[in-house]
Amino acid sequence: MTTLEFARERAEPMPAEQREELLRMPGFGSLYSDHMVTARWTAERGWHDARTQPLAEFSLHPATMAFHYGQTIFEGLKAFWRPAGQHVLFRPRDHAARFARSARRMAMPELPEADFLAAVEAVLRVDAAWVPPARGHSFYLRPFMIAAETHLSNRPAEEYLFAVIGSPARPAAAEPAPIRLWASPEYVRAADGGTGTIKCGGNYGGSYVAQREAAERGCHQVAWLDPRERRYVEEAGGSNLFFVEGDRLVTPPLSGTLLAGVTRDSILRLAGRLGLTVAEEPVALEDWERGCREGRITETFACGTARALAPVGHAVTPDREWAIGDGTTGPVTRRLLTALLDVQYGDAPDEFGWLHAVTPRRE
Ligand code: COI
């Protein structure tokens, strides 16, 4: 049951011609649609003051707790264009559930699933014209929550701000360029009992020093090793990892330090339909290298909501480098990406009930 009522204030929409020009090649994360949703939470009132309003800056006191102690969480989910006007959200309930898990771990108030859905639907309805129509393009929705209380005490805030913004996003390329991964010997992304399983801002901010090191080594992202032995490959940047070995598709298990990616879960299910055997097993860095050198591991790819699937062409450590397959996109990666995009764009049946249709608001 939705508990929040969304008050509506219309933005002056961007002229259609200008918007359509921008939508031709939207990039990622730098264009925003005309509206946003916001809601507030206080200990006395719970969730309240929900509104759909023109996208605008927030005015926040310098002592706002989110600036100091990092109580911030977010989600990222995609909507896809449909010719009949109804657009679809991909697995929004799974994103709502993860947002609630993130909130619990960060001692923040949970937003009920129905309110999460109503909020992302509200942005999609009012800004339906911002959903790019081309296959591969999408409308990326970014729900987030921050500690909004003005205070310098080191404790959970008693006021929060939730918001959803929308951003038209570049195509998930049918032939994405292979990436190079840097296995960082020094840094870890997450530790047992830490926050690695959720989407809080600190997980990302804490990873940038290693990402910069990767860039200095000519790599696109970090291959994160497990925090206990620095032996098992767990994630790639902010994405999950898969390894192709014959007709087996292997991904590291949700050991307590990995993010349970919605795309990861989608790939595991689609793989079964494509006749692959799936296994959630730890993959040691040395076994990955040996498997590639001996020709047993023929493909590796990263996956996440924003990027969909990204083939890994090379892995780099301080003293070694190896190619995965011939360093280009492999056939299994290509088939899985096509299978995912086919469901998202309505070119294949939605066998798992992942799509959630939303009808635009007509004024
Ligand atoms: C996503 O794939 O939605 C992510 O969270 C990646 C984001 C950090 C750009």
Side-chain angles (χ1 to χ4, degrees), residues 68-110:
H68 304 270
Y69 307 123
Q71 249 191 323
T72 71
I73 59 171
F74 70 94
E75 269 301 317
L77 69 164
K78 279 180 169 173
F80 298 93
W81 189 85
R82 285 294 186 275
Q86 253 195 353
H87 300 322
V88 295
L89 285 162
F90 188 70
R91 305 190 66 172
R93 290 179 199 281
D94 296 284
H95 288 279
R98 191 170 62 187
F99 196 63
R101 287 201 301 279
S102 296
R104 276 198 296 281
R105 177 62 182 83
M106 294 297 286
M108 297 166 93
E110 283 179 45

Side-chain angles (χ1 to χ4, degrees), residues 28 74-78 95 98 140-142 170 199 204 208 238-239 259 263 303-308:
F28 179 80
F74 70 94
E75 269 301 317
L77 69 164
K78 279 180 169 173
H95 288 279
R98 191 170 62 187
Y140 184 81
L141 288 141
R142 171 53 65 88
R170 67 169 171 239
K199 281 182 94 69
Y204 295 78
Y208 296 151
S239 305
L259 187 74
T263 310
C303 70
T305 296
R307 64 164 68 233

Side-chain angles (χ1 to χ4, degrees), residues 59-310:
S59 170
L60 294 168
H61 191 281
T64 298
M65 289 171 93
F67 292 147
H68 304 270
Y69 307 123
Q71 249 191 323
T72 71
I73 59 171
F74 70 94
E75 269 301 317
L77 69 164
K78 279 180 169 173
F80 298 93
W81 189 85
R82 285 294 186 275
Q86 253 195 353
H87 300 322
V88 295
L89 285 162
F90 188 70
R91 305 190 66 172
R93 290 179 199 281
D94 296 284
H95 288 279
R98 191 170 62 187
F99 196 63
R101 287 201 301 279
S102 296
R104 276 198 296 281
R105 177 62 182 83
M106 294 297 286
M108 297 166 93
E110 283 179 45
L111 183 71
E113 179 190 89
D115 292 324
F116 181 98
L117 282 180
V120 292
E121 284 180 10
V123 175
L124 182 55
R125 281 208 171 91
V126 69
D127 284 340
W130 281 92
V131 183
R135 181 177 162 112
H137 290 232
S138 60
F139 186 60
Y140 184 81
L141 288 141
R142 171 53 65 88
F144 61 99
M145 193 199 315
I146 64 166
E149 185 186 347
T150 301
H151 215 288
L152 292 177
S153 290
N154 181 17
R155 57 162 170 75
E158 291 180 1
E159 292 172 30
Y160 293 88
L161 170 65
F162 165 76
V164 185
I165 57 174
S167 179
R170 67 169 171 239
E175 278 295 331
I179 58 172
R180 290 165 66 87
L181 291 186
W182 162 247
S184 170
E186 185 175 359
Y187 301 106
V188 292
R189 177 187 163 274
D192 289 316
T195 55
T197 59
I198 59 141
K199 281 182 94 69
C200 63
N203 285 351
Y204 295 78
S207 74
Y208 296 151
V209 67
Q211 188 172 311
R212 186 178 282 166
E213 194 182 66
E216 285 162 5
R217 303 289 181 137
C219 294
H220 301 88
Q221 270 303 345
V222 178
W224 293 108
L225 300 181
D226 79 277
R228 301 152 216 109
E229 298 177 65
R230 310 276 173 105
R231 184 165 175 221
Y232 298 100
V233 195
E234 296 205 319
E235 289 194 20
S239 305
N240 294 118
L241 267 176
F242 281 86
F243 304 85
V244 179
E245 198 174 1
D247 65 357
R248 289 180 87 230
L249 188 66
V250 180
T251 194
L254 301 176
S255 60
T257 48
L258 271 73
L259 187 74
V262 174
T263 310
R264 175 186 182 278
D265 183 71
S266 306
I267 293 296
L268 282 172
R269 297 200 202 194
L270 288 170
R273 291 292 152 107
L274 298 186
L276 297 161
T277 309
V278 294
E280 295 179 66
E281 289 171 3
V283 176
L285 187 66
E286 72 259 23
D287 292 339
W288 184 25
E289 178 179 4
R290 196 173 321 115
C292 292
R293 293 195 190 280
E294 292 174 0
R296 280 180 291 104
I297 297 180
T298 50
E299 298 176 44
T300 299
F301 63 85
C303 70
T305 296
R307 64 164 68 233
L309 268 65

